[in-house]
Amino acid sequence: MKKTLLILFIITSFNTKAQRVSPFQSGSYYPSILSLRDYAAPPPGLIFADYNLWFNSGSIYDKDGNKVELGNSFENSPLDEISVDPNISSYTNMFLIYYVSRFKIFGARYMASVSPMYLSMKYDVKVEYNGNTQTESNKISGLGDLALMPVGLSWASQKMDYSFLYTMYIPTGRYTTGADDNLGTGYWTHQLQTPVYFYAMQQATALAVIPTIEFSGQIKDADVNPGNRFSLEYGISQYLSDQLEVELMNGHNWQITDDKGSDECWANNYDSKNTFSTGINYWIIDKLQLRGKFLQDYGVKQRFKNQIWHFSLLYVPGLLSEKEKN
């Protein structure tokens, strides 16, 4: 009974799994997590950012966007005999090291970054199955998957920025199919992004559109390839003074291809979600910015619905930032 129930659960939006391959595959990328201008063409040199994210989830939604509660099962889906009442909280820390070249390639700055991740989470999940009710609880923590961007190119002007970014998510986080303490996705993801920014008022105003596509690999120790995903983010950032910036963002995430493999057992119910966020950023000194955001999921299908608080620091020390020689 216990093993059957725990098949269901993905503990966070970063795809922690329990017991078998979860039917809730949500990809590696979470729209609107970063600040809006984080994808804009940065100045040459080294840049450091520390992201702190607090996730809370108390609800899960079926393929039709209906909230699933005890006594209200996944109707007309492979999970139609099971009802779930989750209570999940987690903390994620992502430390980003970003390098921007002094030289240019085809008129573009070369960029690269690496971002290790630490996860800590607690969950209590109550499940009804065939008239029986059971509660499962756990606390887990450790290193998650590693995000590596080996290739980034950015073209910048006074009125517009355009970038091409290739990122891979390396499954360094703990993962074993059949375990209930996983911290990684268990598969590689290759991601392409083309952020575009439009500026006004000497760049005090920024409008951004950020499309993202993910290509998923095969899950470790399982014959499942999660479906590929497409995300679209857009928003506006406005400096109210030389130090104070406010932003609004909206993000959408869709599964766009089938989950494949002999261990796929959830009838390819494509999931999707939307996330709205609002943020405020402040340069406390010339090289250090303090940022805060609040994010709320809505319009969720076949996924957990999250509420997220974001606190981060951006540090631009000026290292390796000397002007290029003529």
Side-chain angles (χ1 to χ4, degrees), residues 35-204:
S35 294
L36 184 135
R37 297 198 192 217
D38 283 356
Y39 297 99
L46 284 175
I47 298 171
F48 303 96
D50 185 60
Y51 297 92
N52 299 271
L53 308 166
W54 288 267
F55 289 76
N56 287 284
S57 180
S59 57
I60 187 171
Y61 289 75
D62 66 15
K63 67 183 182 64
D64 298 314
N66 300 314
K67 184 178 179 180
V68 177
E69 300 176 289
L70 291 180
N72 172 22
S73 66
F74 290 82
E75 186 177 0
N76 298 321
S77 83
L79 308 174
D80 58 5
E81 296 180 344
I82 300 172
S83 301
V84 185
D85 181 16
N87 182 10
I88 301 167
S89 61
S90 69
Y91 165 73
T92 299
N93 178 267
M94 297 185 295
F95 186 74
L96 177 70
I97 303 172
Y98 209 98
Y99 168 72
V100 184
S101 70
R102 292 172 289 173
F103 58 87
K104 293 184 178 181
I105 302 174
F106 303 116
R109 297 279 184 195
Y110 168 76
M111 304 177 294
S113 70
V114 62
S115 181
M117 183 185 304
Y118 172 82
L119 305 170
S120 175
M121 61 195 71
K122 175 184 178 182
Y123 67 92
D124 299 285
V125 182
K126 186 180 292 184
V127 178
E128 276 189 0
Y129 181 75
N130 286 342
N132 298 310
T133 300
Q134 184 166 333
T135 300
E136 297 296 337
S137 302
N138 201 359
K139 295 180 180 179
I140 55 177
S141 62
L143 294 178
D145 292 346
L146 180 71
L148 174 66
M149 185 182 76
V151 178
L153 297 172
S154 183
W155 294 262
S157 68
Q158 187 66 24
K159 296 294 185 180
M160 181 179 175
D161 285 353
Y162 172 80
S163 298
F164 168 81
L165 310 175
Y166 163 59
T167 302
M168 62 178 72
Y169 295 90
I170 304 171
T172 54
R174 183 173 67 236
Y175 178 84
T176 301
T177 299
D180 62 358
D181 61 349
N182 292 319
L183 291 165
T185 61
Y187 60 87
W188 289 71
T189 299
H190 300 276
Q191 174 181 288
L192 302 177
Q193 293 177 293
T194 54
V196 181
Y197 288 83
F198 303 93
Y199 299 110
M201 299 175 61
Q202 286 75 50
Q203 298 194 349

Side-chain angles (χ1 to χ4, degrees), residues 304-319:
F304 286 85
K305 182 178 180 180
N306 291 311
Q307 188 178 78
I308 306 166
W309 292 94
H310 162 156
F311 171 78
S312 63
L313 291 170
L314 178 69
Y315 181 48
V316 187
L319 298 174

Side-chain angles (χ1 to χ4, degrees), residues 5 28 34 44 57 86 101 103 116 158 178 187 218 289 320:
L5 297 179
S28 298
L34 303 187
S57 180
S101 70
F103 58 87
Q158 187 66 24
Y187 60 87
Q218 181 173 328
Q289 187 185 56
L320 306 179

